[in-house]
Amino acid sequence: MKGFKEELENNILRYWMENMIDTEYGGFYGRIDGHNVLDKRAGKGVVMHARILWTFSAAYRLLGRQAYRQMADRAYVYLRDFFMDRQYGGVYWELDYRGEPLNRKKQTYAQGFALYGFSEYYRATGNTEALEYAKQQFNIIEKCRDNALGGYWEAFTEDWQPMADMRLSEKDANEAKTMNTHLHILEPYTNLLRIWIDQRLIEAQSELITLFVDRIFDKRTGHLQLFFDGDWNVKGDIQSFGHDIEAAWLLLEAAEVLGDPQLAEKVRMIVPQIGKAALEGILPDGSMAYERNHKHWDRERHWWVQAEAVVGFSNLGRLLSDKFYMDKAEDTWDYIVSSIIDKKDGEWFWSRLENGEVNKADDKAGFWKCPYHNGRMCMEMLENFGNTL
């Protein structure tokens, strides 16, 4: 597999540097649509800004280019000065294009990404203020914990009261606990442990990994279960191939960084099962389908699913010393190069539809479409396999 550094620097990062900087109101524009048309008045999402902060911080840490540091600085200042709620704590969900709060709800998932961004910015720059904000976000997330049955509640109102509609997006079920939010608490907690050894953090991460092993992982199928009520009863039967393969490598990373040998062994036991289940989503052209339930297959090839497949299968190949999984990663990378990268306008298409057509109804850049999945894929491959690629 070749070309990850070139793709990262000359396509993904360059696209965001050249097209998304809002020089009038600060931060980054909220949207470029699927036809590559900029909407300067689109709302600005906290997840997008936090992911930009993480991506350019990581790129600066890895590659040392000052242009990436400047982008990370811009994202950091905007997240700090506009998204953070100085009255009730945490980060708002969405601002308008001028930076005024548009949706003040507190999604636990978003608190996790703010932590992810702040912690990576500290890793890259040594900015101690960012470390303090990362610790602050940890304390906020821990207040979202279900102290009776474990795990984290999905969402709250501006002042941290229960709310009726807890959905992360319109595609999601309105349930009290979700795999996706727990995965993206696990992820920043791993990053925070790299820079801050705290007993409460160690215990929280240990409980979170155990939760994946004992509750979220489906021993019958090898897949991760997606939605739960407050009592951890499973709701629905959707299997998300992209989340399966993403969790396979994030769980392994989390256990390795935590450093608990017994827990790490439990994770190493289930990760191959998760990877095998994710293989069910691989299509004949090497791409990975989106999801399925007992009634329906969704064979749309989303950009982020392909990116996570490359990282996840590569890590499985390394864990198991199995060329089969490395070949699967290479097949998906070949599909990305041929069908997902937009060679005309830059960045990646949102997806290819089941019939192979480019999906231009969804954004090129926006609330959910950021340089995080594809940028991280490139950096993971460079950091973990750079000497062998």
Side-chain angles (χ1 to χ4, degrees):
M1 285 182 281
K2 301 289 185 182
F4 292 105
K5 188 172 186 291
E6 180 181 356
E7 174 60 21
L8 176 68
E9 295 207 80
N10 294 337
N11 184 27
I12 299 167
L13 300 183
R14 175 181 287 182
Y15 183 90
W16 286 79
M17 293 165 69
E18 292 181 352
N19 295 283
M20 290 296 285
I21 296 174
D22 185 344
T23 56
E24 185 175 2
Y25 293 105
F28 301 89
Y29 293 120
R31 182 174 183 242
I32 292 179
D33 71 15
H35 297 274
N36 216 53
V37 177
L38 175 65
D39 179 359
K40 291 186 176 182
R41 296 201 170 192
K44 297 178 176 182
V46 67
V47 172
M48 185 187 85
H49 278 73
R51 286 174 168 179
I52 292 171
L53 173 59
W54 181 89
T55 301
F56 280 94
S57 296
Y60 175 66
R61 178 177 57 80
L62 182 63
L63 301 170
R65 282 192 57 190
Q66 282 300 313
Y68 303 154
R69 169 64 189 267
Q70 291 168 8
M71 286 286 283
D73 289 346
R74 166 177 282 271
Y76 173 73
V77 168
Y78 197 80
L79 189 66
R80 179 194 69 190
D81 292 351
F82 289 87
F83 277 104
M84 293 187 73
D85 183 344
R86 303 296 176 181
Q87 182 176 2
Y88 296 111
V91 291
Y92 300 124
W93 182 245
E94 184 179 7
L95 310 177
D96 69 15
Y97 71 95
R98 296 164 299 185
E100 295 296 326
L102 191 62
N103 187 336
R104 295 171 180 264
K105 73 172 179 175
K106 303 295 169 55
Q107 204 81 26
T108 307
Y109 178 101
Q111 311 310 315
F113 270 103
L115 169 50
Y116 200 36
F118 286 139
S119 59
E120 189 64 21
Y121 186 71
Y122 173 77
R123 288 185 75 198
T125 68
N127 183 313
T128 55
E129 180 189 64
L131 177 58
E132 291 307 309
Y133 284 133
K135 294 176 184 179
Q136 182 176 310
Q137 285 300 118
F138 167 72
N139 289 327
I140 285 166
I141 293 168
E142 285 305 294
K143 291 179 181 179
C144 304
R145 179 193 288 270
D146 177 356
N147 293 316
L149 296 178
Y152 298 84
W153 302 110
E154 191 71 7
F156 301 85
T157 63
E158 174 187 9
D159 57 350
W160 299 100
Q161 300 303 307
M163 64 186 302
D165 187 349
M166 296 177 285
R167 291 175 301 168
L168 187 63
S169 74
E170 293 180 358
K171 294 180 179 179
D172 290 296
N174 186 25
E175 298 295 345
K177 297 171 183 175
T178 72
M179 178 283 303
N180 198 11
T181 287
H182 285 78
L183 184 64
H184 295 296
I185 298 172
L186 179 89
E187 172 186 51
Y189 278 14
T190 298
N191 217 37
L192 189 57
L193 275 167
R194 292 186 170 111
I195 57 176
W196 183 48
I197 303 302
D198 176 84
Q199 190 58 36
R200 286 194 310 134
L201 175 59
I202 291 169
E203 291 172 1
Q205 185 73 325
S206 178
E207 289 177 21
L208 195 47
I209 294 171
T210 302
L211 198 62
F212 269 91
V213 173
D214 293 345
R215 286 198 184 272
I216 297 175
F217 171 66
D218 187 340
K219 298 177 179 62
R220 299 171 299 109
T221 68
H223 293 282
L224 301 181
Q225 299 166 118
L226 299 190
F227 299 104
F228 306 83
D229 66 16
D231 296 325
W232 285 106
N233 296 305
V234 178
K235 310 294 286 186
D237 65 345
I238 295 173
Q239 296 170 342
S240 173
F241 304 113
H243 285 115
D244 286 337
I245 197 61
E246 182 182 19
W249 74 269
L250 286 176
L251 272 170
L252 192 61
E253 179 185 62
E256 289 173 349
V257 172
L258 182 65
D260 180 329
Q262 291 183 323
L263 201 50
E265 183 58 29
K266 288 182 179 179
V267 169
R268 282 192 286 268
M269 291 292 291
I270 70 166
V271 159
Q273 298 176 63
I274 299 172
K276 185 178 180 181
L279 283 173
E280 296 167 15
I282 293 294
L283 300 171
D285 58 9
S287 65
M288 181 176 271
Y290 185 50
E291 64 184 23
R292 72 175 177 197
N293 60 23
H294 73 285
K295 293 182 178 178
H296 175 67
W297 266 85
D298 184 343
R299 292 182 176 84
E300 188 174 343
R301 285 88 154 177
H302 289 241
W303 95 98
W304 71 268
V305 174
Q306 315 315 312
E308 295 302 334
V310 172
V311 180
F313 286 132
S314 296
N315 274 276
L316 271 171
R318 182 175 60 174
L319 173 68
L320 303 173
S321 300
D322 191 339
K323 186 175 180 294
F324 171 81
Y325 284 107
M326 295 301 295
D327 289 344
K328 292 301 178 184
E330 185 160 8
D331 289 345
T332 307
W333 174 235
D334 288 344
Y335 178 81
I336 290 169
V337 171
S338 68
S339 303
I340 297 295
I341 295 172
D342 185 345
K343 297 178 178 65
K344 176 177 177 289
D345 293 318
E347 243 282 354
W348 293 15
F349 301 121
W350 180 283
S351 68
R352 291 267 180 176
L353 303 175
E354 185 171 351
N355 64 8
E357 292 181 4
V358 172
N359 171 13
K360 294 191 175 182
D362 288 300
D363 295 342
K364 175 65 70 67
F367 207 92
W368 292 107
K369 181 73 160 53
C370 327
Y372 150 76
H373 285 287
N374 50 5
R376 184 172 67 175
M377 177 205 72
C378 293
M379 288 186 275
E380 283 290 321
M381 297 303 289
L382 289 171
E383 284 194 279
N384 295 328
F385 302 97
N387 294 328
T388 59
L389 292 176

